[in-house]
Amino acid sequence: MVGSPQADAQQTHVVLPEPRQGGSGRPTTHDRPVVRDPEDKSDPVELLLDITFVALLNQASSLLFLDSSPAGILNALSVLLVALLFWQMTAAATGIVPVNGVMRALYLAKTGAFLLMAASVRQAFTRDSGGTGMPWLFAAATTVAGVCSVVMWVYLGSRDRRWRGNASLLVGFAVVMTACVWAAELGPARLASRWLLVGYGVSMALCSNTALPFPRRFGIGSRVRLWAINGARAYRERYTTSYVVGCCLCLQLLEVLGDNAWDNEAMPISALVLVAVALNVSLMMYWLYEPLIDPARRAVDPRNPEMSQTRKVAHSLGDVYGHLLMFAGLVLTAGALRAVFTELVDSHGSAFGPAAGTETLLELFGGIAMCLLGQALFSWFTLWRLDLLRLGAVGGMLALVPLLGGAPVLLAVLLLPPAVGVVYLLDRWRRRGVKSTVDRVKRRIWVQRTERDHQVSGFELFFDFMAAFAFAQVTNIVLRNPSVSGVLHAGLILGSIYGCWLTYCWAANNARADRGTLRQFHVIALFGLILLSLTLPGAFTHTGLNRRVLLFLCAYLVIRLASAAALYCLFGRAVTRRALVIIGFGSAATVCIAVAVQLGGSAGVTLWAVAVGCEIVAIAASASGMHVRAPAHLAERFAFLVVLGLDMSLSGVCERFAGARIGVVHVALIAAALLVCTLMWWLYFDTLVHYAEHQLDRTDAKSRPHRRFVHTHYNGLHLVILAGMVSFGFGLRFIAEHTTTEHTGPLGPDLTPLTAASLTVGLTGYLVGITMMWSLLRRPTVFPWLVAAAVLAVTPVLIGRPAIEGLAVLIGVAGLPVLAHALTPGIRGHRHSARQVSQHAG
């Protein structure tokens, strides 16, 4: 959801009417504010914060995994409320003004605060079971998040004086919430959640008043006539992205399964059943939310004259409280699924597990009921009608709790998809009844072609997030086998997963991925990706064919065959030969991997290389012949993949720190990782993405230069920068894991040759990929090549040095020259011209 040249070409920032007269009788600068355009897309830095916010919710659900008692539920919900309140405060602010340099800096600072909160949330609420090196870290990180929010709204009030009343209330909220967090942190552990709930209640009372039109004499509340969110599209995309990634919380048990269960060959088949249940529930909960997105966007659009002030204010309140219930329900369900997984693994005597407890059933079905209740509340204020279907489903879910008491836990879990599926089918039947005849005909079409202005759907974001999870599991291969063979396996598997994702990305650019038969192929591929992610951590740690390797091969074959079927579904008999090539070479790659694992040694490495060659042929057969139908859609998918890759590097560190004794070294490592990832983010998203999309949009889609540019810039070079991010993320995870398991000095563990090489090679690969992209755009430069060479040259210097010192050297070698080069007058003029090209494209 990156700003595109098409959106910028149509963008004329809204200048609101009725300016107040200054002392000279002329409108003042602050009285004619430049606000965010309703068609602006979400900025990449907003998406990075949104994904980090959901990572914090993931750590909140882990509190339920550790303690499913009422006290544990209260702790998890209180953390959720604090994080959600600060996130919603930021979402509202960036829906009003454009995202510029100041706002991006505040966003990155708040991302770092959320990372620290995620790393310290477990220790903050389990102080009695071991303590922590920095008992105030969670409160300090929350304070930083509050300060960022305050500065953001003060800056917003300085840009537009009509919002100063709202800013004053929100400053009061931040002070109250921060004080309550410190009271919860420094007070008795049994009162921590109560303090947070009190702070949330007072703060929400203040926040709710910001949407109400107060008289001018009070000086508080909204002074904006016909109050509405200016950036309606960006505001709605932020909630949609967060909800999509929040649905994936139900699949976060894959981390527990991948890290622990696959070490044991006696893994029960019930765990795979649980994963299938989590996937089905996650998809249906998104599909129930999807029909509410467009009406909600139209409701807050300031250009909608039919919406009264009362309905817009009501929608704002329904947005806040409805999503509060949705996120709370997703967190409860995710925690319950994790607890059920542990019970299934520990119960070796029964295939269906032990008897389901009341607490587990309440979290499982009560979480779904709470999410449906949030959707009903959101639908009520958005569509202005009471949703009796979802309200009835809430009662039905709660009624299942006493009925299933004492039943085997796996049986209770198996009843969850049918229960949610009935609600989804009834909702679909109800919506189909009010569709027009034209819409009904479109729904019968197997493939619905995309238009030039096609946008990325939430279902595609769901698919991309699971692909990013598979990319993150590649680093676990090297963590379990830190050798040259482990690096080779990781690189080859990374190419295979990227090729599978690439095929579906191109297919979704030519036809709607969330409609018709192509959606079914995406669901099949999703299950294959999940199975692939499960088997990756332990599939190649031993020689010989075992159950994990066979499951990996089956998952890979399912993805590859589904991609061939999707291609045939898109273009029919005209691509029969290409589909057969994909099937043949995909099967050959599967056979080569199986034989390579069985043989091992140099012969195995050779066969792995042959398998990658077969995969390259299959990818080329999939992508060749496809034309770019929606340029903005294609650029946005690749940009979102880069955002997810950066988040993998940051969130991977926090996941390794969860449950550890947090100290100064952990905070310093998170800060260093954030600085390097900020540099990587800036190199890609500052101007490069705008130039590339402009080049993609202005050339003929069927010309040979266009195809050469697309396949080189997007298909090829994005693999290079993705490999660089994965390599750098592995180095950070390796350091984080050794920091939590070893007694290290104040600057962290010493860098091994493998860790130092992964950091420098990863950053060098990323810089080389960015530089080659600029060269392909006919704007070559020598400076980044020199920086990349300098980064690679310091590899011997980093070996044996402490981790924090090594990261500081990398920041100095790569970051400072790049920033100094970027601040020169010539480069500033180049950036200004790039933005002018983006704004006047088309």
Side-chain angles (χ1 to χ4, degrees), residues 254-265 267 469-470 472-481 486 489-490 493 530-553 597 608 656:
L254 299 177
E255 297 175 2
V256 183
L257 193 150
D259 291 339
N260 301 321
W262 286 106
D263 290 332
N264 183 13
E265 282 293 335
M267 171 73 183
F469 180 77
Q473 294 305 305
V474 172
T475 61
N476 289 332
I477 298 176
V478 189
L479 286 175
R480 291 170 177 262
N481 183 20
H489 288 167
I493 293 173
I530 290 174
L531 194 58
L532 206 68
S533 305
L534 290 178
T535 55
L536 275 180
F540 305 103
T541 54
H542 306 286
T543 58
L545 291 174
N546 51 47
R547 189 173 66 177
R548 289 172 290 187
V549 176
L550 293 176
L551 285 174
F552 169 82
L553 296 176
V597 172
W608 270 99
R656 298 291 170 178

Side-chain angles (χ1 to χ4, degrees), residues 81-90 110 142 145-150 153 166-181 198-208 210:
L81 294 176
V82 173
L84 185 61
L85 200 56
F86 282 116
W87 178 82
Q88 287 178 327
M89 185 179 181
T90 309
K110 202 164 188 177
T142 308
V147 170
C148 292
S149 301
V150 169
W153 272 90
N166 304 70
S168 62
L169 286 172
L170 291 170
V171 169
F173 133 72
V175 172
V176 171
M177 192 71 253
T178 303
C180 289
V181 171
V198 169
Y200 178 80
V202 176
S203 301
M204 283 308 298
L206 294 174
C207 288
S208 299
T210 61

Side-chain angles (χ1 to χ4, degrees), residues 428-482:
R428 184 179 179 183
W429 174 80
R430 181 180 60 177
R431 287 187 288 109
R432 182 180 297 180
V434 299
K435 293 286 185 179
S436 64
T437 305
V438 177
D439 292 333
R440 293 180 186 179
V441 173
K442 287 183 178 180
R443 296 181 69 90
R444 297 192 187 102
I445 300 176
W446 280 23
V447 176
Q448 184 176 341
R449 297 292 178 180
T450 56
E451 302 296 336
R452 188 172 182 82
D453 58 349
H454 175 59
Q455 302 173 10
V456 177
S457 63
F459 181 68
E460 292 173 81
L461 299 183
F462 191 101
F463 186 86
D464 292 347
F465 187 83
M466 294 314 303
F469 180 77
F471 290 136
Q473 294 305 305
V474 172
T475 61
N476 289 332
I477 298 176
V478 189
L479 286 175
R480 291 170 177 262
N481 183 20

Side-chain angles (χ1 to χ4, degrees), residues 123-176:
Q123 291 294 344
F125 290 92
T126 56
R127 299 194 297 270
D128 296 335
S129 60
T132 178
M134 300 176 69
W136 41 266
L137 181 60
F138 182 81
T142 308
T143 303
V144 173
V147 170
C148 292
S149 301
V150 169
V151 175
M152 192 175 294
W153 272 90
V154 170
Y155 173 76
L156 188 151
S158 67
R159 294 288 301 274
D160 187 350
R161 290 182 177 178
R162 296 166 304 168
W163 292 95
R164 286 188 175 183
N166 304 70
S168 62
L169 286 172
L170 291 170
V171 169
F173 133 72
V175 172
V176 171

Side-chain angles (χ1 to χ4, degrees), residues 250 253-254 257 261-262 264-280 336-354 408-415 417 527 530-531 534 547 551:
C250 296
L253 58 93
L254 299 177
L257 193 150
W262 286 106
N264 183 13
E265 282 293 335
M267 171 73 183
I269 196 64
S270 56
L272 292 179
V273 175
L274 184 62
V275 171
V277 168
L279 175 62
N280 280 277
L337 288 174
R338 287 189 178 192
V340 169
F341 169 76
T342 305
E343 295 177 1
L344 290 175
V345 173
D346 294 340
S347 61
H348 302 288
S350 174
F352 290 93
V409 65
L410 185 60
L411 179 62
V413 170
L414 289 175
L415 289 179
F527 186 78
I530 290 174
L531 194 58
L534 290 178
R547 189 173 66 177
L551 285 174

Side-chain angles (χ1 to χ4, degrees), residues 483-509:
S483 62
V484 177
S485 62
V487 173
L488 290 176
H489 288 167
L492 299 179
I493 293 173
L494 176 66
S496 300
I497 299 175
Y498 177 77
C500 295
W501 175 85
L502 197 65
T503 302
Y504 286 94
C505 178
W506 274 97
N509 188 260

